Amino acid sequence: MSDFAWCIPLFPLLASLLLTMGARRYSDGVASLIASCAVFISAAISIGVLMETLNTVVPTVHHWRWLSFGDQSITVGAEVNQLNALMLVIVSLVSFLVHRYARGYMAGDRRMATFYAYLSLFTFSMLGLVISPNLLQLYVFWELVGVCSFLLIGFWFYKPEAKRAARKAFILTRIGDVGLFIAVILTFWQVGSFEWEAIFAAISANKIPPEMITLIALLIFVGAVGKSGQFPLHSWLPDAMEGPTPVSALIHAATMVAAGAYLVARAFPIFAASDVALGTVAYVGAFTAIFAATIGLVQNDIKRILAWSTVSQLGYMMLALGSSGYVAGIFHLTTHASFKALLFLAAGAIITMLHHEQDIRRMGGLWKSQRRIGWLFLIGCLAITGIPPFSGFFSKEEILTAAWLSGRVDLFLVGVVTAFLTALYIFRLFFLVFMGEERGKIAPSQIPRVMIWPMVLLTIPAIGAGFLAWIPAHGFSDWLTKGTGILAAPQGEAPGWIPLLTLLLSLAGVGVAWLRYGRGAVTIPSQSQSVTGIHHLLSRAYFVDDLYRWGIGKPYRWLSILLSWVDQQIISGIVSGVGALFQAGGRIGSRMQNGQAQTYALVSLLGLVIVIVGLTAGRWFG
Amino acid sequence: MKTLIDFDWTVMAPELTIAGMAALLSVIDLFLHPNKDRRFFMWPTLIAIGTAIGFVATQWGKPAYQILADTYRVDDFAFVFKMILLIGTALVAVISYGAFRREKGFAEGEYYYLLLVALLGGMVMTSSGDLITLFVGLELLSIATYILVGMRKRAITSNEAAWKNVVLGGVASAFILYGMSFLYGLTGSTNLFTMKERLGEALTSGYDLYAWLALFLIVFGFGFKVAVAPFHMWVPDVYQGAPTPITAFLAVISKTAAFALMLRVFLTGFLPLFQGGGGTLVDEETGGRLLLTMAGLSMILGTVIALRQQDAKRLLAYSSIAQAGVILVPMATWGPFLFPSTVYYLVGYLFTTLGAFTVLMLIEGDAGDSKLSSFAGLSRRAPLTAGAMALFLLSLAGIPVTVGFFGKFYILMNAIVTGSPEHWAMYLIAGIMLMTTVASYFYYFGIIRMMYFRPPQRREGLRVPVGAMMVIGIAFIATLGLGLMPQWILGILGNLDWGAALSPVK
């Protein structure tokens, strides 16, 4: 089966071409069917490939010579190893489910075929990225997924926000991509090859100077920061929620944004060779995790809360990888893909029911009428919160263990606090949407079955993926690292209290959310209730609620407002400042362009004189 | 002493074909009734170019040959550049077909044979081994384009553009001639290879200042012709005023020919100034730094000013200034892939730019202006054309799987390989290239957003003539094909004997 791995990305490409060429000819159903079938075939082969890697651990590589470059030849091809076999399955399966789901969600959109063409093109690019045996090919697909993301965020181009978001996403991720591009060139310069195998071999043979390894690793990480929405290039991701919800689920939650974490994992031997690089990854990841989680506490748009949560969870993956928790990072990537896709699809269902209402202050009480969606959403929430036996518990626990074992207590504490915050913001969302009284006046409409069953299927990994960690004798981590020479996790004995702590904190988060938002006592948007009677003061529950509000809630709210402000004013300010700088330069340049030929000749002459003087002046006077 | 008869004149067959057809067409033009439609001139033009391509192809792989008292060289360098020029002109001729039908007083007959004359000038430039032939070729190309720019006699912008082109082009030519006269005075020869030897001597014997002066003067002129900063000021006005196919011609064929000239002159005649001859006032790095400065300035100015343009034609004009800066980078940094990376980029630039200008021409014909807003909703009106345009823009921006990405990548590789802590300027130029590339996304994507994310101003589809459709198709296939399979062209470029261009035929 691995021999056919190279054709996995080709089916979606074929579908995309078919759909582009005959966009007007196909009915919605046919377009959806073509795209879904193609992805289904890819998914089937991917599963076959994954099964095969369970037995044979030697990576299979297929090459074709692409071009000669000096005396080096550059190849294109497909590589199958444990990491990307797993990734192939995640991408193609989630993509397939989203393809089906979109049939219901996008029903009635006039450009359904175009939508599926873009979605298939994205799937092709993402699968191509995963299967790349070398850095250059990976970079090519890396850019392609960026273009697809741009097209899909701006799919509803008649919304000005969507257009803005598409541009912002493209530009911000491009800044990261330039870092990756420089890393690609530097690597080739140092190693003389783009192949992962050759790069890792050169590193283990100490052929590259250590500072160069650090530089390359950091530049690769810059690329990952852009794609995975890590601080400070994160702000495009929440805005990207302007795209259709299936896109948010597939691209901006489960797969493309995880490409950054995947890249770090793929290039892990480079990072492992540099403590500085690993430390940077860990600290950036940890900071992003807590930073995004606090912001998630005060958002009111259902998709934006999930987006901030994605940023935060990706920070967790980076934290894991940076703490040498290779397996923990990939494990969390896997579990996150399933539960976050589930959460997004369920959110999409809620949005559809409420006629495209996204503000959680105008939702509420849906549990009574929409028990089915409620359960699906609840499973996602429990998984991300880390309540056993749901999957998030296991991966989060491994991450915190890795952080603890790596000896960085500060990172461990950040991870622990973030686990609490995660529970808090996700259950705030859950309680506000499903509990209490119905706030909006919008009558819920029915959800088509084609949207339901993909979510039902996603609950299986969202619940069960965690048990990969329970395969006897470290089966999962042994399988993942066999033959790669990578340590599965930092050395040391994992303290037994970490899972307990994780669980307690998560439960505490849920509890706080329940006290604050769950009982229906608090009406939104009123933030503060006046305390009237002594009974209320004696009420322990109220006391705790108050304590949390003043002790944790408010400061966190202030902090997140502060961080939001930093995000909005300073980060956006820098971005628009760069733009303004260019604009100002353009204005001066345009003014000189006054249409006078004499001026033109004069400017040229002066230019030449300045250049000559600049080049020679030192020698005239020195 | 050889006489004229002793030379193997067959090596001149491509030039003679083009010159012959230009002469023939001008005579036919005289005898045709003034009101007769002269659009069919495109066919003889294409036949001539096709024949010339055939003749050039026979020179493939042959050893270098010099003719006309060593003033004219036929070598692999000339082979490649002639191919680019011929293919480019053929495509321009095709998109011109019927483009000016509604224009009153447009001399369509002259248009085609002037195009051939300009092409001839370009071909002479790529093959010249002597300052005299070089200047003749340059002027042949320049004068023909002066007229072509002003072909739309009734359009005031076209007149203004032509006038500016003549005046500023004349200034540039004057500077080149002045520089050449210094060179002749220093070396007593106009032959580039003799110049190389004697210039080395001149540098060490106290005449270095004059040698540098000659270089600076010539750089002024060449800078004008290839349109790099700070000699770029004429570009936006002329590009905007000229008929769009001629703008494409200026942006692609004129520029390529001028780059060929620049490479020849700097790598042979002026070689001592770039490789070092031990001057006292100015050291050998100055030559390279001069080119680096121009390349960096062009990329920055072209990109930065393009951000503010509201007119697609002006935008592409500034973008072509930035692109010229990129093409100058290999020449400024040298390195192992100097020739292949330059030529590869030029080939990609040829197809991408021609494709983009063709689409622009269609939009101009449809909307009556070349404003960015005229692109609105193109994806709905003409999905295939919009898709092709998007690809061209992606290629100009340097996004992967297009020829533009690989070209930029190749040039960057070349620059970085030559860099070292002592030659930090190479890293600087690579950094500028990357920065300006990112900044350029803003305006290239401005057009893409117009096409895809804006509702169309009118409903009916865009009329795409067969010729334009073919050119767009060819450009599309080349942009994508060369991006996917660069080996196809790199294989050819790798087998060429570039060294032959740098040394005289024994």
Side-chain angles (χ1 to χ4, degrees), chain B residues 288-324:
Chain B
R289 279 200 196 137
L290 178 65
L291 296 182
L292 278 177
T293 314
M294 282 161 42
L297 265 182
S298 303
M299 290 191 278
I300 294 170
L301 281 180
T303 308
V304 167
I305 305 179
L307 283 175
R308 284 191 57 81
Q309 302 307 317
Q310 294 303 314
D311 184 290
K313 220 163 160 185
R314 277 183 95 82
L315 192 152
L316 284 179
Y318 280 109
S319 128
S320 90
I321 295 171
Q323 302 282 349

mmCIF file of all heavy atoms in Angstrom, chain B residues 288-324:
data_model
loop_
_atom_site.group_PDB
_atom_site.id
_atom_site.type_symbol
_atom_site.label_atom_id
_atom_site.label_comp_id
_atom_site.label_asym_id
_atom_site.label_seq_id
_atom_site.Cartn_x
_atom_site.Cartn_y
_atom_site.Cartn_z
ATOM 1 N N GLY B 288 30.903 45.914 -8.696
ATOM 2 C CA GLY B 288 29.826 45.061 -8.212
ATOM 3 C C GLY B 288 28.875 45.827 -7.319
ATOM 4 O O GLY B 288 27.658 45.685 -7.410
ATOM 5 N N ARG B 289 29.453 46.708 -6.474
ATOM 6 C CA ARG B 289 28.595 47.460 -5.557
ATOM 7 C C ARG B 289 27.681 48.408 -6.300
ATOM 8 O O ARG B 289 26.549 48.647 -5.895
ATOM 9 C CB ARG B 289 29.452 48.246 -4.579
ATOM 10 C CG ARG B 289 29.915 47.372 -3.452
ATOM 11 C CD ARG B 289 30.332 48.184 -2.256
ATOM 12 N NE ARG B 289 31.100 47.318 -1.381
ATOM 13 C CZ ARG B 289 32.217 47.686 -0.778
ATOM 14 N NH1 ARG B 289 32.692 48.905 -0.980
ATOM 15 N NH2 ARG B 289 32.841 46.852 -0.008
ATOM 16 N N LEU B 290 28.196 48.948 -7.407
ATOM 17 C CA LEU B 290 27.374 49.841 -8.223
ATOM 18 C C LEU B 290 26.116 49.100 -8.687
ATOM 19 O O LEU B 290 24.990 49.596 -8.555
ATOM 20 C CB LEU B 290 28.194 50.323 -9.415
ATOM 21 C CG LEU B 290 27.497 51.236 -10.409
ATOM 22 C CD1 LEU B 290 27.138 52.542 -9.748
ATOM 23 C CD2 LEU B 290 28.396 51.498 -11.604
ATOM 24 N N LEU B 291 26.344 47.878 -9.206
ATOM 25 C CA LEU B 291 25.201 47.100 -9.679
ATOM 26 C C LEU B 291 24.297 46.696 -8.513
ATOM 27 O O LEU B 291 23.068 46.715 -8.637
ATOM 28 C CB LEU B 291 25.687 45.855 -10.423
ATOM 29 C CG LEU B 291 26.484 46.121 -11.704
ATOM 30 C CD1 LEU B 291 26.860 44.815 -12.365
ATOM 31 C CD2 LEU B 291 25.676 46.965 -12.664
ATOM 32 N N LEU B 292 24.926 46.348 -7.381
ATOM 33 C CA LEU B 292 24.121 45.971 -6.210
ATOM 34 C C LEU B 292 23.234 47.132 -5.775
ATOM 35 O O LEU B 292 22.060 46.947 -5.459
ATOM 36 C CB LEU B 292 25.034 45.585 -5.048
ATOM 37 C CG LEU B 292 25.598 44.180 -5.034
ATOM 38 C CD1 LEU B 292 26.521 44.007 -3.849
ATOM 39 C CD2 LEU B 292 24.472 43.162 -4.968
ATOM 40 N N THR B 293 23.823 48.343 -5.778
ATOM 41 C CA THR B 293 23.048 49.509 -5.371
ATOM 42 C C THR B 293 21.855 49.700 -6.293
ATOM 43 O O THR B 293 20.727 49.931 -5.843
ATOM 44 C CB THR B 293 23.937 50.769 -5.433
ATOM 45 O OG1 THR B 293 25.174 50.469 -4.821
ATOM 46 C CG2 THR B 293 23.275 51.927 -4.755
ATOM 47 N N MET B 294 22.125 49.594 -7.596
ATOM 48 C CA MET B 294 21.032 49.783 -8.541
ATOM 49 C C MET B 294 19.951 48.720 -8.364
ATOM 50 O O MET B 294 18.752 49.012 -8.408
ATOM 51 C CB MET B 294 21.577 49.761 -9.974
ATOM 52 C CG MET B 294 22.243 51.079 -10.352
ATOM 53 S SD MET B 294 23.351 50.994 -11.771
ATOM 54 C CE MET B 294 22.503 49.989 -12.912
ATOM 55 N N ALA B 295 20.410 47.477 -8.172
ATOM 56 C CA ALA B 295 19.434 46.393 -8.008
ATOM 57 C C ALA B 295 18.581 46.630 -6.765
ATOM 58 O O ALA B 295 17.343 46.556 -6.810
ATOM 59 C CB ALA B 295 20.157 45.053 -7.903
ATOM 60 N N GLY B 296 19.254 46.947 -5.652
ATOM 61 C CA GLY B 296 18.522 47.165 -4.406
ATOM 62 C C GLY B 296 17.563 48.330 -4.512
ATOM 63 O O GLY B 296 16.389 48.229 -4.144
ATOM 64 N N LEU B 297 18.046 49.448 -5.065
ATOM 65 C CA LEU B 297 17.201 50.630 -5.232
ATOM 66 C C LEU B 297 15.977 50.323 -6.085
ATOM 67 O O LEU B 297 14.858 50.729 -5.756
ATOM 68 C CB LEU B 297 18.004 51.742 -5.920
ATOM 69 C CG LEU B 297 18.679 52.783 -5.057
ATOM 70 C CD1 LEU B 297 19.371 53.810 -5.938
ATOM 71 C CD2 LEU B 297 17.645 53.476 -4.179
ATOM 72 N N SER B 298 16.196 49.599 -7.189
ATOM 73 C CA SER B 298 15.067 49.291 -8.081
ATOM 74 C C SER B 298 14.019 48.482 -7.363
ATOM 75 O O SER B 298 12.829 48.749 -7.471
ATOM 76 C CB SER B 298 15.526 48.463 -9.280
ATOM 77 O OG SER B 298 16.504 49.117 -9.953
ATOM 78 N N MET B 299 14.480 47.447 -6.633
ATOM 79 C CA MET B 299 13.511 46.585 -5.963
ATOM 80 C C MET B 299 12.718 47.392 -4.946
ATOM 81 O O MET B 299 11.494 47.279 -4.864
ATOM 82 C CB MET B 299 14.229 45.412 -5.289
ATOM 83 C CG MET B 299 14.786 44.430 -6.292
ATOM 84 S SD MET B 299 15.358 42.917 -5.532
ATOM 85 C CE MET B 299 16.962 43.373 -4.953
ATOM 86 N N ILE B 300 13.424 48.245 -4.191
ATOM 87 C CA ILE B 300 12.727 48.996 -3.145
ATOM 88 C C ILE B 300 11.793 50.035 -3.762
ATOM 89 O O ILE B 300 10.594 50.069 -3.471
ATOM 90 C CB ILE B 300 13.745 49.665 -2.197
ATOM 91 C CG1 ILE B 300 14.521 48.592 -1.437
ATOM 92 C CG2 ILE B 300 13.041 50.595 -1.234
ATOM 93 C CD1 ILE B 300 15.693 49.121 -0.660
ATOM 94 N N LEU B 301 12.338 50.854 -4.675
ATOM 95 C CA LEU B 301 11.510 51.920 -5.243
ATOM 96 C C LEU B 301 10.334 51.339 -6.036
ATOM 97 O O LEU B 301 9.196 51.770 -5.884
ATOM 98 C CB LEU B 301 12.352 52.805 -6.161
ATOM 99 C CG LEU B 301 13.233 53.835 -5.463
ATOM 100 C CD1 LEU B 301 14.006 54.640 -6.483
ATOM 101 C CD2 LEU B 301 12.363 54.766 -4.628
ATOM 102 N N GLY B 302 10.639 50.368 -6.889
ATOM 103 C CA GLY B 302 9.577 49.785 -7.716
ATOM 104 C C GLY B 302 8.455 49.250 -6.850
ATOM 105 O O GLY B 302 7.274 49.504 -7.098
ATOM 106 N N THR B 303 8.817 48.526 -5.791
ATOM 107 C CA THR B 303 7.805 47.913 -4.937
ATOM 108 C C THR B 303 7.035 48.962 -4.142
ATOM 109 O O THR B 303 5.800 48.937 -4.089
ATOM 110 C CB THR B 303 8.475 46.940 -3.957
ATOM 111 O OG1 THR B 303 9.298 46.067 -4.703
ATOM 112 C CG2 THR B 303 7.453 46.148 -3.198
ATOM 113 N N VAL B 304 7.782 49.885 -3.552
ATOM 114 C CA VAL B 304 7.148 50.839 -2.653
ATOM 115 C C VAL B 304 6.177 51.748 -3.416
ATOM 116 O O VAL B 304 5.050 51.982 -2.987
ATOM 117 C CB VAL B 304 8.229 51.670 -1.937
ATOM 118 C CG1 VAL B 304 7.614 52.862 -1.261
ATOM 119 C CG2 VAL B 304 8.956 50.808 -0.927
ATOM 120 N N ILE B 305 6.610 52.227 -4.573
ATOM 121 C CA ILE B 305 5.739 53.164 -5.289
ATOM 122 C C ILE B 305 4.567 52.422 -5.926
ATOM 123 O O ILE B 305 3.472 52.969 -6.031
ATOM 124 C CB ILE B 305 6.538 53.967 -6.327
ATOM 125 C CG1 ILE B 305 7.715 54.648 -5.631
ATOM 126 C CG2 ILE B 305 5.663 55.032 -6.964
ATOM 127 C CD1 ILE B 305 8.602 55.454 -6.515
ATOM 128 N N ALA B 306 4.788 51.186 -6.304
ATOM 129 C CA ALA B 306 3.685 50.425 -6.905
ATOM 130 C C ALA B 306 2.508 50.312 -5.942
ATOM 131 O O ALA B 306 1.360 50.219 -6.364
ATOM 132 C CB ALA B 306 4.167 49.033 -7.297
ATOM 133 N N LEU B 307 2.805 50.331 -4.625
ATOM 134 C CA LEU B 307 1.736 50.184 -3.630
ATOM 135 C C LEU B 307 0.665 51.260 -3.783
ATOM 136 O O LEU B 307 -0.483 51.057 -3.434
ATOM 137 C CB LEU B 307 2.322 50.284 -2.224
ATOM 138 C CG LEU B 307 3.054 49.072 -1.703
ATOM 139 C CD1 LEU B 307 3.665 49.378 -0.362
ATOM 140 C CD2 LEU B 307 2.090 47.917 -1.579
ATOM 141 N N ARG B 308 1.058 52.428 -4.271
ATOM 142 C CA ARG B 308 0.108 53.530 -4.299
ATOM 143 C C ARG B 308 -0.606 53.676 -5.633
ATOM 144 O O ARG B 308 -1.409 54.586 -5.812
ATOM 145 C CB ARG B 308 0.829 54.838 -3.976
ATOM 146 C CG ARG B 308 1.151 54.988 -2.513
ATOM 147 C CD ARG B 308 1.599 56.382 -2.191
ATOM 148 N NE ARG B 308 0.632 57.388 -2.568
ATOM 149 C CZ ARG B 308 -0.434 57.704 -1.842
ATOM 150 N NH1 ARG B 308 -0.666 57.086 -0.720
ATOM 151 N NH2 ARG B 308 -1.256 58.637 -2.236
ATOM 152 N N GLN B 309 -0.297 52.820 -6.572
ATOM 153 C CA GLN B 309 -0.877 53.016 -7.902
ATOM 154 C C GLN B 309 -2.327 52.542 -7.968
ATOM 155 O O GLN B 309 -2.675 51.504 -7.422
ATOM 156 C CB GLN B 309 -0.050 52.284 -8.960
ATOM 157 C CG GLN B 309 1.397 52.721 -8.995
ATOM 158 C CD GLN B 309 1.542 54.221 -9.136
ATOM 159 O OE1 GLN B 309 0.843 54.861 -9.914
ATOM 160 N NE2 GLN B 309 2.442 54.803 -8.361
ATOM 161 N N GLN B 310 -3.130 53.317 -8.632
ATOM 162 C CA GLN B 310 -4.531 52.940 -8.834
ATOM 163 C C GLN B 310 -4.757 52.449 -10.256
ATOM 164 O O GLN B 310 -5.841 52.026 -10.610
ATOM 165 C CB GLN B 310 -5.447 54.143 -8.573
ATOM 166 C CG GLN B 310 -5.442 54.611 -7.145
ATOM 167 C CD GLN B 310 -5.830 53.502 -6.187
ATOM 168 O OE1 GLN B 310 -6.798 52.774 -6.414
ATOM 169 N NE2 GLN B 310 -5.059 53.318 -5.126
ATOM 170 N N ASP B 311 -3.725 52.563 -11.066
ATOM 171 C CA ASP B 311 -3.847 52.201 -12.462
ATOM 172 C C ASP B 311 -3.023 50.940 -12.714
ATOM 173 O O ASP B 311 -1.844 50.889 -12.373
ATOM 174 C CB ASP B 311 -3.332 53.361 -13.313
ATOM 175 C CG ASP B 311 -3.503 53.103 -14.793
ATOM 176 O OD1 ASP B 311 -2.793 52.241 -15.341
ATOM 177 O OD2 ASP B 311 -4.364 53.765 -15.395
ATOM 178 N N ALA B 312 -3.657 49.933 -13.289
ATOM 179 C CA ALA B 312 -2.986 48.643 -13.429
ATOM 180 C C ALA B 312 -1.751 48.745 -14.318
ATOM 181 O O ALA B 312 -0.748 48.078 -14.085
ATOM 182 C CB ALA B 312 -3.954 47.612 -13.991
ATOM 183 N N LYS B 313 -1.817 49.595 -15.321
ATOM 184 C CA LYS B 313 -0.688 49.690 -16.246
ATOM 185 C C LYS B 313 0.523 50.324 -15.562
ATOM 186 O O LYS B 313 1.647 49.862 -15.703
ATOM 187 C CB LYS B 313 -1.102 50.540 -17.443
ATOM 188 C CG LYS B 313 -0.599 50.017 -18.774
ATOM 189 C CD LYS B 313 -1.389 50.662 -19.877
ATOM 190 C CE LYS B 313 -0.653 50.567 -21.188
ATOM 191 N NZ LYS B 313 -1.364 51.306 -22.239
ATOM 192 N N ARG B 314 0.259 51.371 -14.785
ATOM 193 C CA ARG B 314 1.339 51.992 -14.030
ATOM 194 C C ARG B 314 1.869 51.029 -12.980
ATOM 195 O O ARG B 314 3.062 50.958 -12.720
ATOM 196 C CB ARG B 314 0.851 53.274 -13.352
ATOM 197 C CG ARG B 314 0.851 54.479 -14.248
ATOM 198 C CD ARG B 314 0.434 55.705 -13.493
ATOM 199 N NE ARG B 314 1.566 56.470 -12.980
ATOM 200 C CZ ARG B 314 2.268 57.330 -13.701
ATOM 201 N NH1 ARG B 314 1.977 57.524 -14.958
ATOM 202 N NH2 ARG B 314 3.269 57.994 -13.179
ATOM 203 N N LEU B 315 0.941 50.279 -12.391
ATOM 204 C CA LEU B 315 1.346 49.306 -11.383
ATOM 205 C C LEU B 315 2.312 48.284 -11.994
ATOM 206 O O LEU B 315 3.369 47.993 -11.440
ATOM 207 C CB LEU B 315 0.103 48.614 -10.837
ATOM 208 C CG LEU B 315 0.278 47.766 -9.581
ATOM 209 C CD1 LEU B 315 -1.019 47.745 -8.810
ATOM 210 C CD2 LEU B 315 0.717 46.374 -9.881
ATOM 211 N N LEU B 316 1.942 47.786 -13.167
ATOM 212 C CA LEU B 316 2.821 46.804 -13.814
ATOM 213 C C LEU B 316 4.133 47.462 -14.238
ATOM 214 O O LEU B 316 5.171 46.809 -14.277
ATOM 215 C CB LEU B 316 2.116 46.175 -15.016
ATOM 216 C CG LEU B 316 1.049 45.136 -14.666
ATOM 217 C CD1 LEU B 316 0.408 44.589 -15.929
ATOM 218 C CD2 LEU B 316 1.650 43.991 -13.878
ATOM 219 N N ALA B 317 4.071 48.770 -14.565
ATOM 220 C CA ALA B 317 5.304 49.474 -14.913
ATOM 221 C C ALA B 317 6.256 49.489 -13.719
ATOM 222 O O ALA B 317 7.439 49.156 -13.847
ATOM 223 C CB ALA B 317 4.982 50.900 -15.357
ATOM 224 N N TYR B 318 5.729 49.864 -12.561
ATOM 225 C CA TYR B 318 6.586 49.872 -11.372
ATOM 226 C C TYR B 318 7.035 48.464 -11.024
ATOM 227 O O TYR B 318 8.168 48.249 -10.590
ATOM 228 C CB TYR B 318 5.860 50.524 -10.193
ATOM 229 C CG TYR B 318 5.889 52.028 -10.271
ATOM 230 C CD1 TYR B 318 4.752 52.758 -10.553
ATOM 231 C CD2 TYR B 318 7.076 52.719 -10.089
ATOM 232 C CE1 TYR B 318 4.777 54.139 -10.644
ATOM 233 C CE2 TYR B 318 7.126 54.088 -10.181
ATOM 234 C CZ TYR B 318 5.976 54.801 -10.454
ATOM 235 O OH TYR B 318 6.023 56.153 -10.551
ATOM 236 N N SER B 319 6.127 47.509 -11.189
ATOM 237 C CA SER B 319 6.509 46.134 -10.896
ATOM 238 C C SER B 319 7.643 45.704 -11.819
ATOM 239 O O SER B 319 8.550 44.982 -11.416
ATOM 240 C CB SER B 319 5.285 45.228 -11.005
ATOM 241 O OG SER B 319 5.532 44.142 -11.844
ATOM 242 N N SER B 320 7.622 46.185 -13.083
ATOM 243 C CA SER B 320 8.703 45.793 -13.991
ATOM 244 C C SER B 320 10.024 46.441 -13.575
ATOM 245 O O SER B 320 11.093 45.884 -13.826
ATOM 246 C CB SER B 320 8.349 46.148 -15.435
ATOM 247 O OG SER B 320 8.780 47.442 -15.756
ATOM 248 N N ILE B 321 9.946 47.604 -12.919
ATOM 249 C CA ILE B 321 11.185 48.194 -12.392
ATOM 250 C C ILE B 321 11.746 47.296 -11.290
ATOM 251 O O ILE B 321 12.944 47.000 -11.250
ATOM 252 C CB ILE B 321 10.907 49.613 -11.844
ATOM 253 C CG1 ILE B 321 10.488 50.533 -12.985
ATOM 254 C CG2 ILE B 321 12.131 50.170 -11.144
ATOM 255 C CD1 ILE B 321 9.990 51.884 -12.536
ATOM 256 N N ALA B 322 10.848 46.863 -10.411
ATOM 257 C CA ALA B 322 11.287 45.968 -9.333
ATOM 258 C C ALA B 322 11.844 44.664 -9.908
ATOM 259 O O ALA B 322 12.865 44.149 -9.442
ATOM 260 C CB ALA B 322 10.121 45.678 -8.386
ATOM 261 N N GLN B 323 11.165 44.139 -10.940
ATOM 262 C CA GLN B 323 11.638 42.891 -11.554
ATOM 263 C C GLN B 323 13.016 43.085 -12.180
ATOM 264 O O GLN B 323 13.869 42.209 -12.109
ATOM 265 C CB GLN B 323 10.652 42.419 -12.633
ATOM 266 C CG GLN B 323 9.243 42.193 -12.147
ATOM 267 C CD GLN B 323 9.084 40.881 -11.414
ATOM 268 O OE1 GLN B 323 9.961 40.042 -11.437
ATOM 269 N NE2 GLN B 323 7.965 40.704 -10.742
ATOM 270 N N ALA B 324 13.224 44.269 -12.791
ATOM 271 C CA ALA B 324 14.536 44.542 -13.380
ATOM 272 C C ALA B 324 15.607 44.507 -12.301
ATOM 273 O O ALA B 324 16.722 44.025 -12.531
ATOM 274 C CB ALA B 324 14.518 45.889 -14.085
#
